[in-house]
Amino acid sequence: MLADKIQEVFNEPGCGVNQAKTTKERKKGCSKPLKPGAAAGGCAYDGAMIALQPIADVAHLVHGPIACLGNSWDNRGTRSSGSQLYRTGFTTDLSELDIVHGGEKKLYKAIKEIVQQHNPPAVFVYQTCVPAMIGDDIEAVCKYAAKKLGVPVIPVNAPGFVGSKNLGNKLAGETLLDHVIGTREPEVSTPNDVCIIGEYNLAGELWLAKPLMDEIGIRIQSCISGDGRYNEIAAAHRARVTMVVCSQALINVGRKMEERWGIPYFEGSFYGVTDMSDTLRTMATMLVQRGADPAMLNRAEAVIAREEAAVSKRLERYKPRFTGKRVLLFTGGVKSWSMVTALEEAGLTIVGSSTKKSTKEDKEKLKKRKGEEFHMWDDLKPKEMYRMLRDSEADIMLSGGRSQFISLKAKVPWLDVNQERHHAYAGYDGIVNLCEEIDKTLSNPIWRQVRLPAPWE
């Protein structure tokens, strides 16, 4: 059953990677044998947790050894405007005896205890490698518990050994399609409702875009999954338009919502002035086409004009300080192209961007913005990255935490732009925040000191 689901996800017709394949190649799927150490990039279970844990009022129960749970309280920078239940770590904490005798009874007891103590609107149960290998049937246990306890208990069947983090993202999306979306009707439904998919509200980024959408009259009916609530996501099938923020991860959700409920989707970005304006404009246009008040278009243009003028004025102070400064962008997905636009609008020069986790569409957008000659790396080796930084080909590197030590070893400033960061970079205010952080990083006096010879040399 899980194998069928994985094959279905690999054949996703909305995925740009799959579209570039031949029919024969599509039948083989995207599965690649993992190399030793490949799990360092995140397994399928990790990907499923990343996609679903931001649903704030749900209890997220990890069925497996306690080590699989990690640090739930501050694992990623996603924020909630209300319930903090999503940050509490629940696990069945399987031991050697449970592996011998099976962990299904322990799982049911854990679900029951959570429901009695916290009364959540739903419990998400994550399958991990160990119980999957000993044959625990979490779907049967969840079905029994839901019937017995009167609360939705959702099995997330994405054990780590089945594949990569990205596969886990997609399996999480399939879980929502199979068990959550469409199971409830919203209390209020309007022609202005949108569903946002793949926005995780890292450092509160969604809150930088939401006030502008409110002003235009666009209502976020549900967000999958940043600052999300179970009942809102269960009613996501009543949205009028869907925005897919990260197509690589959850394009399957956008496409199937269009197939099942006729909700058109588009891919948008909240990063950078131009992309933020395009997103608001596209969202308003599509809503009007589906029955919203045409005056929404005028409100959108007024907000865009005002915000662009304001942010342009705020960015002026950074442009002289950024003149001649070169950035090595080592990220992926939608940020591979949307961050480029954002940084160039601030006056920085981009020497290249990684595209390892980017879709074909992401790469095409990057080529369209920068031309064929622009450096795009599918697999930039750490050794080569270090050489570039050591030889002063870039003045700062923007990346995730895993590659920070390459930059620090080369004594080059580094700034986190991935999920562990504590600053919000989305929207018009976000680009100003990003410039402020880059400026502080570049001008930090520590870099002059670490480049000096040691006193004993």
Side-chain angles (χ1 to χ4, degrees):
M1 192 172 176
L2 179 58
D4 293 341
K5 182 64 73 178
I6 291 171
Q7 192 60 42
E8 183 185 340
V9 168
F10 280 155
N11 290 334
E12 171 56 52
C15 172
V17 176
N18 283 338
Q19 287 170 6
K21 293 178 179 175
T22 63
T23 305
K24 188 177 178 182
E25 287 172 333
R26 275 199 292 273
K27 285 181 181 176
K28 292 180 181 177
C30 301
S31 182
K32 293 179 182 176
L34 293 176
K35 297 176 183 176
C43 63
Y45 153 72
D46 184 36
M49 280 289 283
I50 288 168
L52 299 178
Q53 194 179 16
I55 304 174
D57 57 350
V58 160
H60 299 272
L61 171 60
V62 177
H63 184 42
I66 195 168
C68 291
L69 179 61
N71 177 11
S72 65
W73 189 252
D74 203 19
N75 190 22
R76 304 175 77 84
T78 184
R79 297 287 179 262
S80 166
S81 58
S83 174
Q84 299 292 316
L85 185 60
Y86 73 112
R87 301 178 78 185
T88 301
F90 297 105
T91 175
T92 48
D93 185 19
L94 292 183
S95 65
E96 290 88 343
L97 280 178
D98 298 317
I99 294 167
V100 173
H101 297 293
E104 293 179 354
K105 288 182 180 176
K106 196 170 188 179
L107 174 59
Y108 173 71
K109 284 178 67 177
I111 296 169
K112 185 179 178 183
E113 189 176 336
I114 289 170
V115 172
Q116 289 174 341
Q117 290 192 13
H118 299 277
N119 191 27
V123 179
F124 279 41
V125 177
Y126 297 83
Q127 180 75 295
T128 60
C129 294
V130 171
M133 287 191 286
I134 64 175
D136 278 2
D137 188 347
I138 68 162
E139 299 200 5
V141 176
C142 290
K143 193 174 179 182
Y144 175 77
K147 187 177 179 182
K148 199 82 173 171
L149 304 173
V151 173
V153 183
I154 313 299
V156 184
N157 198 2
F161 62 77
V162 300
S164 66
K165 181 172 73 174
N166 181 249
L167 174 61
N169 296 151
K170 289 183 165 63
L171 291 175
E174 292 293 318
T175 299
L176 294 179
L177 289 163
D178 290 345
H179 299 283
V180 183
I181 299 173
T183 58
R184 291 175 185 267
E185 291 300 323
E187 293 180 3
V188 179
S189 183
T190 76
N192 303 348
D193 292 355
V194 297
C195 172
I196 301 176
I197 298 173
E199 165 56 51
Y200 303 126
N201 198 32
L202 298 175
E205 288 189 330
L206 179 64
W207 300 333
L208 295 180
K210 187 176 181 301
L212 303 177
M213 296 168 69
D214 290 341
E215 190 176 345
I216 295 169
I218 299 169
R219 177 174 174 266
I220 301 177
Q221 192 274 334
S222 59
C223 182
I224 301 173
S225 54
D227 200 16
R229 300 294 182 271
Y230 179 79
N231 288 335
E232 292 174 357
I233 294 172
H237 62 298
R238 294 304 178 200
R240 307 293 290 173
V241 169
T242 297
M243 172 185 175
V244 180
V245 177
C246 186
S247 63
Q248 179 84 344
L250 292 170
I251 188 70
N252 50 331
V253 180
R255 182 184 65 81
K256 288 187 178 178
M257 285 179 70
E258 184 173 46
E259 280 183 2
R260 293 182 189 180
W261 297 290
I263 307 169
Y265 71 90
F266 73 101
E267 185 180 352
S269 166
F270 290 136
Y271 293 116
V273 176
T274 303
D275 290 316
M276 182 66 193
S277 299
D278 287 346
T279 294
L280 293 177
R281 193 174 285 121
T282 303
M283 207 177 272
T285 302
M286 291 178 72
L287 284 171
V288 169
Q289 288 170 350
R290 300 216 66 211
D293 183 358
M296 178 182 285
L297 294 174
N298 294 332
R299 290 198 297 272
E301 292 301 332
V303 167
I304 290 169
R306 185 195 69 205
E307 293 297 321
E308 285 189 350
V311 77
S312 176
K313 196 172 178 181
R314 294 171 71 190
L315 290 178
E316 282 301 318
R317 67 183 292 257
Y318 294 104
K319 289 183 179 176
R321 299 173 67 84
F322 288 167
T323 301
K325 299 296 183 186
R326 298 154 301 167
V327 176
L328 173 59
L329 186 61
F330 196 73
T331 179
V334 65
K335 287 200 290 290
S336 63
W337 53 268
S338 59
M339 274 283 179
V340 168
T341 309
L343 295 170
E344 289 190 333
E345 285 168 346
L348 292 157
T349 301
I350 316 299
V351 297
S353 175
S354 65
T355 53
K356 186 176 181 180
K357 298 177 182 176
S358 303
T359 64
K360 181 187 173 191
E361 289 179 347
D362 290 331
K363 294 177 185 176
E364 288 300 319
K365 285 176 181 173
L366 191 52
K367 283 181 185 174
K368 190 176 177 183
R369 283 166 165 75
K370 298 297 298 174
E372 296 286 340
E373 300 301 318
F374 184 69
H375 290 294
M376 294 191 295
W377 299 286
D378 279 337
D379 188 17
L380 184 61
K381 305 287 185 193
K383 187 177 178 182
E384 176 60 16
M385 198 189 308
Y386 173 72
R387 186 202 62 75
M388 290 179 66
L389 296 172
R390 184 200 59 196
D391 294 348
S392 302
E393 294 182 21
D395 297 291
I396 185 171
M397 182 166 84
L398 273 55
S399 71
R402 289 193 185 96
S403 46
Q404 66 174 304
F405 299 105
I406 299 170
S407 179
L408 299 179
K409 186 178 178 182
K411 301 176 184 176
V412 170
W414 168 82
L415 183 66
D416 188 358
V417 293
N418 278 3
Q419 62 272 3
E420 295 88 0
R421 66 181 183 272
H422 297 282
H423 302 279
Y425 298 146
Y428 300 107
D429 289 335
I431 185 65
V432 178
N433 294 343
L434 177 60
C435 290
E436 184 180 349
E437 292 305 312
I438 292 174
D439 189 32
K440 285 195 290 190
T441 306
L442 280 170
S443 58
N444 193 319
I446 189 65
W447 300 112
R448 285 196 299 274
Q449 293 189 29
V450 297
R451 289 166 187 160
L452 292 173
W456 56 85
E457 289 180 349

